[in-house]
Amino acid sequence: MTQRQTRIGLVAGGLGTYWPQFPGLLPQLQESARYVAQRFQEMETEVVDVGFISDAQEGAAAAEKLRRADCDLIVLFLTTYLTASMVLPIAQRANTPVLVIDLQPTEKMDHASFDTGAWLAYCGQCPVPEMGNTFRRAGIPFRSVSGWLRQESAWRRIGQWIRAAHVRAALRHARHGLMGHLYPGMLDVSTDLTLLPVTFGSHVEVLEFDDLRQRVEKVTEAETKQRMDLAREIFTLDDTVREEDFAWGATVSVALDRLVDDFELDSIAYYHRGLDGEQHERLGAGMILGASLLTARGIPTTGEYELRTTVAQLATQAVGAGGSFCELQALNFEDNVVEMGHDGPAHLAVSARDPLLRGLGVYHGKRGWGVSVEFDVRPGPVTLLGLGQDRDGSLSFIAAEGTVVPGPLLAIGNTTSRVDFGRDPGEWVDDWSASGVGHHWSLSLEHRAADYKAAASLLGIDFRQV
């Protein structure tokens, strides 16, 4: 399916009283507004530019246009002083998070040559405290970026909010598939399905393993062979892979793609216990190849019924950082690293080398057998993102930044990484566990905690960093 593009609302403004007083001011500010609009057009977003406002009536008209546009983020460009009455209706009526930016024309004024009109073009920061106070009194979260028009550091801060808008767009319009049942006894994994539509606006589609079974039965031998050929291009096949298990995983992979298409899914979380090799057990055991291929396409597909972790993976995917299903595996106190990863589905984009398909006669803690994905995460900075759920039911983003370092890894069909958090690994585990993060999380590339903090702000949920 084609995901909806992130939609950014844009409005620029200044106080209309100035225009007849200083005739050259408005054209200068409008030129700055055009530059800002151009920069946003280059950010892989759909920009709804409602133009330049000069008084409260025009502000109200812009508010109505933006309300109808259903944006993921509204950006208010304060080009010079303007009153809060011009801006508040936009923030109130659109029911959309707002970012205030003020970008003066250059790094500094030329004091010797500037008159009042020239100064006013540099006065965009003047109303920022006024907006902050008014937003606070109205109960509206306030966010701002102050700088100058072509200051790349300011645009990097603005870009952070755009990436956060990508997360909000992804979660607000997501359709999450939930197939099977909870892994028995994993109380932390249990999620109230109403929370996702209430918190984010997303949809949870409850699926049966029979929905997959019916599609598996319709996969042809030619389609299975084609999927096996694709897998050989992507994976290195270990000698432990049995041809019949490989073919079964490929067949399930084709059916999974159809399931995703038929239900228009953006993620899948699944688990089925099974018994004595019956068909549903074989379906659950055959998911790993197809789940990894789907995850690599940006459709997180994870085991153990981990709905909240698929949400976290969708968030990390939205900012272009990948995101692999992850849990704690062991600690190395000699190298001061935390070893983490998971058996089963993986995000191939974070692999340090060609991923390996390994045949397993036993899936630890689960019934069934088949092929599993094994790789190590590429060395360098990484960020963990988990989705916590508190006693009152509220959701939160929980993040930690570290560095993947090379070293020995287990060859047991798992994704594995050695993460250095710059401290004693046992102490880090204690703090991470106390955050409320739960059993699993998404491991994403680069240091992205600031992006995830901004996304939490736009989503209206708590953010915690360990």
Side-chain angles (χ1 to χ4, degrees):
M1 64 177 294
T2 301
Q3 292 183 344
R4 173 188 176 276
Q5 192 173 23
T6 302
R7 189 173 298 157
I8 304 298
L10 179 61
V11 57
L15 188 64
T17 304
Y18 297 149
W19 313 153
Q21 295 176 328
F22 308 100
L25 179 59
L26 179 58
Q28 180 183 2
L29 301 181
Q30 289 173 326
E31 180 60 31
S32 293
R34 283 190 288 271
Y35 175 79
V36 167
Q38 176 190 333
R39 290 293 298 255
F40 279 106
Q41 295 284 356
E42 298 169 357
M43 291 186 176
E44 298 182 353
T45 62
E46 177 187 349
V47 179
V48 180
D49 186 353
V50 299
F52 200 101
I53 61 172
S54 299
D55 55 34
Q57 292 90 333
E58 291 179 358
E64 179 59 22
K65 292 177 184 177
L66 291 170
R67 183 189 66 80
R68 293 197 303 266
D70 186 31
C71 298
D72 300 298
L73 176 68
I74 292 173
V75 180
L76 300 172
F77 177 28
L78 311 185
T79 65
T80 185
Y81 176 74
L82 74 172
T83 65
S85 64
M86 297 168 58
V87 167
L88 183 60
I90 295 171
Q92 286 179 316
R93 300 176 191 178
N95 194 31
T96 299
V98 173
L99 171 66
V100 171
I101 64 173
D102 61 283
L103 303 172
Q104 66 186 37
T106 63
E107 292 175 271
K108 63 179 182 179
M109 294 188 294
D110 182 357
H111 297 77
S113 64
F114 270 35
D115 59 12
T116 302
W119 156 61
L120 286 172
Y122 284 71
C123 201
Q125 75 290 144
C126 177
V128 177
E130 178 178 340
M131 303 307 160
N133 176 272
T134 303
F135 276 36
R136 180 179 288 270
R137 292 165 72 177
I140 299 170
F142 179 75
R143 312 164 186 90
S144 67
V145 173
S146 300
W148 57 280
L149 198 59
R150 289 172 171 79
Q151 182 185 11
E152 289 307 314
S153 60
W155 280 104
R156 282 194 293 273
R157 291 158 60 203
I158 293 169
Q160 177 181 293
W161 289 108
I162 298 302
R163 290 190 294 275
H166 286 318
V167 175
R168 183 172 187 260
L171 300 191
R172 195 158 68 98
H173 299 279
R175 289 176 54 83
H176 302 284
L178 192 59
M179 183 168 66
H181 61 82
L182 185 72
Y183 188 103
M186 294 188 73
L187 302 182
D188 66 303
V189 171
S190 178
T191 302
D192 177 358
L193 303 189
T194 308
L195 271 181
L196 296 191
V198 167
T199 304
F200 305 129
S202 49
H203 172 77
V204 179
E205 185 73 19
V206 177
L207 304 170
E208 305 282 357
F209 258 81
D210 287 323
D211 293 319
L212 179 61
R213 175 189 57 78
Q214 187 266 349
R215 288 164 177 81
V216 165
E217 292 171 354
K218 295 180 179 179
V219 176
T220 66
E221 290 185 12
E223 289 171 328
T224 295
K225 182 180 182 302
Q226 186 178 34
R227 186 55 53 94
M228 293 171 74
D229 290 341
L230 173 64
R232 287 189 181 96
E233 294 176 8
I234 296 172
F235 297 90
T236 297
L237 268 63
D238 187 72
D239 293 341
T240 55
V241 173
R242 299 196 311 172
E243 188 73 8
E244 62 188 74
D245 294 341
F246 182 26
W248 176 244
T251 300
V252 174
S253 175
V254 173
L256 271 174
D257 285 1
R258 289 187 180 152
L259 187 75
V260 165
D261 291 341
D262 291 346
F263 286 95
E264 299 182 332
L265 300 178
D266 297 292
S267 77
I268 304 176
Y270 67 90
Y271 175 75
H272 183 79
R273 181 169 56 190
L275 183 66
D276 295 336
E278 52 82 28
Q279 188 170 30
H280 292 91
E281 178 186 297
R282 295 295 295 129
L283 286 170
M287 293 278 286
I288 294 171
L289 172 60
S292 295
L293 292 174
L294 279 173
T295 302
R297 285 173 44 197
I299 303 171
T301 305
T302 60
E304 299 180 23
Y305 213 59
E306 252 292 18
L307 176 60
R308 294 203 311 278
T309 299
T310 61
V311 173
Q313 288 178 276
L314 199 61
T316 59
Q317 177 73 34
V319 300
S324 206
F325 194 44
C326 208
E327 68 182 3
L328 295 174
Q329 292 179 322
L331 305 180
N332 185 323
F333 290 94
E334 185 174 294
D335 297 339
N336 274 340
V337 297
V338 179
E339 298 187 41
M340 60 180 66
H342 208 279
D343 64 315
H347 198 307
L348 308 181
V350 306
S351 180
R353 51 186 170 80
D354 286 345
L356 181 78
L357 273 186
R358 183 179 294 279
L360 296 179
V362 174
Y363 291 146
H364 74 271
K366 305 177 185 70
R367 293 170 179 167
W369 65 92
V371 294
S372 189
V373 174
E374 177 179 306
F375 66 70
D376 55 311
V377 175
R378 71 181 69 164
V382 293
T383 305
L384 316 182
L385 179 68
L387 201 64
Q389 184 174 344
D390 293 336
R391 184 175 183 178
D392 63 359
S394 61
L395 298 174
S396 58
F397 274 179
I398 303 171
E401 294 181 339
T403 303
V404 169
V405 296
L409 303 169
L410 292 173
I412 58 171
N414 280 250
T415 65
T416 309
S417 56
R418 293 158 44 91
V419 187
D420 183 351
F421 291 101
R423 54 186 297 201
D424 179 89
E427 293 178 2
W428 180 86
V429 168
D430 290 340
D431 288 346
W432 182 244
S433 302
S435 72
V437 69
H439 193 104
H440 305 98
W441 49 87
S442 176
L443 188 152
S444 61
L445 299 178
E446 307 299 335
H447 284 163
R448 299 278 189 165
D451 290 347
Y452 304 144
K453 181 179 181 180
S457 173
L458 298 191
L459 293 165
I461 62 176
D462 285 344
F463 174 83
R464 302 168 202 153
Q465 184 170 352
V466 175

